[in-house]
Amino acid sequence: SGTEQVLADRAERLGVRVIRDAELAGLQQDGDAVDLTFTNGHRLRARYVVGCDGTHSAVRRLLGVDFVGKQYATHIMLA
């Protein structure tokens, strides 16, 4: 979407690395950063992790944080 592109462009200008098409399998936080493990076996250490992956967020699930809000009662599809 246009909004997503605007946000991604701004993040990249600020030096933020946006990772797409990757499935998060695990995360471990210490006092300095977060160690991420992906289902393809890759690992990454990051200062911050942002879970922008919707109602069924892997980040929230791995942290044990419930979704606060409401799901739409209908399915929405963009084509």
Side-chain angles (χ1 to χ4, degrees):
S1 75
T3 302
E4 183 177 344
Q5 189 61 53
V6 167
L7 293 172
D9 290 345
R10 176 67 174 148
E12 289 175 16
R13 282 194 305 275
L14 292 171
V16 174
R17 180 177 173 195
V18 177
I19 299 172
R20 298 180 185 277
D21 299 321
E23 185 177 348
L24 185 63
L27 58 83
Q28 184 70 39
Q29 181 176 357
D30 62 30
D32 298 319
V34 182
D35 292 307
L36 305 167
T37 305
F38 298 92
T39 56
N40 63 6
H42 288 131
R43 294 178 176 265
L44 178 69
R45 186 160 172 86
R47 289 179 60 198
Y48 302 96
V49 176
V50 180
C52 301
D53 48 352
T55 305
H56 303 288
S57 169
V59 173
R60 270 199 321 276
R61 179 178 48 78
L62 291 166
L63 292 174
V65 176
D66 289 332
F67 175 73
V68 179
K70 297 180 183 178
Q71 285 184 300
Y72 290 113
T74 185
H75 289 44
I76 298 172
M77 182 181 352
L78 300 176

